[in-house]
Amino acid sequence: MAEGIRFELTGKEQSLAQLGKAIAQTDDSAGLFDAIGAALVISTVDRFELETGPDGKKWPASLRAKTTGGKTLTDKGVLVGSITHNATSEGVEVGTNQIYAAIHQLGGTIKAKNGKYLKFKGGDGGFAMKASVTIPARPFLGIDDADEKEIAATATDWIMKPLGGSDGGADVRP
C-alpha cells in the first residue's frame, strides 16, 4: 500500500474522507481508483452533451456552434473522445492529451506569434484575421456533486464487497 496519497480536489471533504478510509482498508487500491476514474470519464463526457461545467453553469456558446449549429467543444468530437483516466495504487488522473484543452478549460487570450495576425476559418466559411482571440473558459474537467456521491458510493462498495455487503455498485447519477 502506498505511504502517501496526493489529492488536488478541494471543497469535497466528505468524499475525500470516505475515500481515505476506503484506501486505508485495502491492500491494492488501484482497482478502486480505476473504478473512480472510469466514472469520472463518463461524467466528463456527459458534460459535453449538456454543454455545462462541473459547477452546473452552461458554457458560453462558441461562434461555430452559433453559426453552423451543433454543440460547443464538439465539432469533430476529438476533445471529448480523448477524455481518459490513468489509475495507480496512489490515485487517479482524469484528462486529455489534446494540447488545446487547457485554453478551453481555463479560457484565455491567444495572440499571433509569427506575424501580426492569427488567420483562421470563420463561421461563414471565409477566413478571418485577428491580432488576438479571447476564448472564454468552458470547464469540462472537475468534480460535481453527483461525482462526489459516486466517489463515496464507489469507495463504500469497494470496502463492503470483501465483506459481502456491496449492493453491486449502484450508479447514483440522475
Side-chain angles (χ1 to χ4, degrees):
M1 185 165 150
E3 292 297 317
I5 297 171
R6 183 178 140 251
F7 291 99
E8 292 189 34
L9 303 176
T10 59
K12 306 296 181 186
E13 289 78 15
Q14 183 179 359
S15 288
L16 291 176
Q18 285 181 303
L19 187 56
K21 288 178 186 175
I23 292 166
Q25 295 185 44
T26 183
D27 288 335
D28 180 17
S29 55
L32 170 60
F33 285 121
D34 188 50
I36 290 169
L40 292 175
V41 167
I42 291 168
S43 171
T44 303
V45 169
D46 287 348
R47 288 192 191 104
F48 282 84
E49 184 64 31
L50 299 172
E51 299 180 271
T52 59
D55 60 1
K57 292 181 183 172
K58 199 90 165 135
W59 294 336
S62 66
L63 179 61
R64 187 220 27 99
K66 287 179 187 177
T67 57
T68 64
K71 295 191 175 288
T72 297
L73 297 187
T74 316
D75 184 23
K76 294 182 176 91
V78 174
L79 182 58
V80 67
S82 71
I83 304 299
T84 189
H85 73 284
N86 180 40
T88 68
S89 61
E90 296 180 6
V92 63
E93 299 170 330
V94 177
T96 172
N97 63 353
Q98 296 301 309
I99 193 87
Y100 58 87
I103 194 74
H104 292 299
Q105 175 77 16
L106 304 171
T109 300
I110 302 171
K111 296 179 182 179
K113 285 184 181 179
N114 302 323
K116 293 171 82 175
Y117 300 101
L118 297 166
K119 183 178 177 183
F120 54 92
K121 192 172 181 180
D124 62 358
F127 283 90
M129 293 176 62
K130 301 269 184 179
S132 66
V133 176
T134 299
I135 307 286
R138 296 180 178 102
F140 51 91
L141 295 171
I143 305 284
D144 62 24
D145 291 340
D147 293 330
E148 187 175 6
K149 291 176 184 170
E150 184 71 24
I151 290 168
T154 301
T156 300
D157 285 351
W158 187 260
I159 293 302
M160 297 306 291
K161 188 174 182 179
L163 304 174
S166 175
D167 67 358
D171 186 2
V172 296
R173 288 200 153 293

